[in-house]
């Protein structure tokens, strides 16, 4: 288990990235939160049992990491 999540490179045109940020902001989300939610939906819809089990493992890893570091800071402090 890692102490941090690994950044992933995704190429997205600047106008789309900026529009996506505005859409996410109106929904009260960060782009990272929205992208993670979309990936999880795809795994739940189209993944097999092993893929869906990866979600549970990832959730456990995140919960353990946040507990070890004192939890996630409030939204205004991230």
């Amino acid at each position: 288990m890692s102490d941090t999540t690994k950044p992933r490179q995704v190429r997205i045109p600047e106008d789309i990235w900026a529009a996506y940020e505005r859409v996410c902001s109106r929904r009260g989300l960060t782009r990272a939160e929205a992208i993670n939610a979309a990936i999880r939906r795809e795994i739940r819809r189209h993944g097999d049992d092993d893929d869906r089990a990866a979600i549970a493992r990832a959730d456990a890893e995140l919960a353990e990491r946040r507990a070890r570091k004192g939890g996630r800071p409030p939204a205004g402090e991230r």
Side-chain angles (χ1 to χ4, degrees):
M1 176 176 10
S2 173
D3 282 345
T4 60
T5 51
K6 184 177 179 181
R8 307 291 180 190
Q9 182 175 352
V10 178
R11 295 185 185 275
I12 300 172
E14 188 62 36
D15 281 344
I16 291 174
W17 193 236
Y20 191 59
E21 182 175 31
R22 291 189 301 273
V23 168
C24 291
S25 179
R26 287 192 293 267
R27 295 181 60 215
L29 301 170
T30 66
R31 289 179 291 204
E33 290 167 332
I35 290 168
N36 273 283
I39 291 170
R40 287 166 179 269
R41 276 192 307 275
E42 288 297 301
I43 293 170
R44 285 189 203 101
R45 287 180 186 156
H46 305 291
D48 60 20
D49 289 342
D50 290 336
D51 298 327
R52 285 185 285 278
I55 293 174
R57 289 191 305 273
D59 288 344
E61 177 185 335
L62 290 170
E64 191 278 329
R65 187 181 318 135
R66 288 176 181 150
R68 185 176 66 238
K69 292 188 175 191
R72 188 175 190 179
E77 297 177 21
R78 287 185 226 158

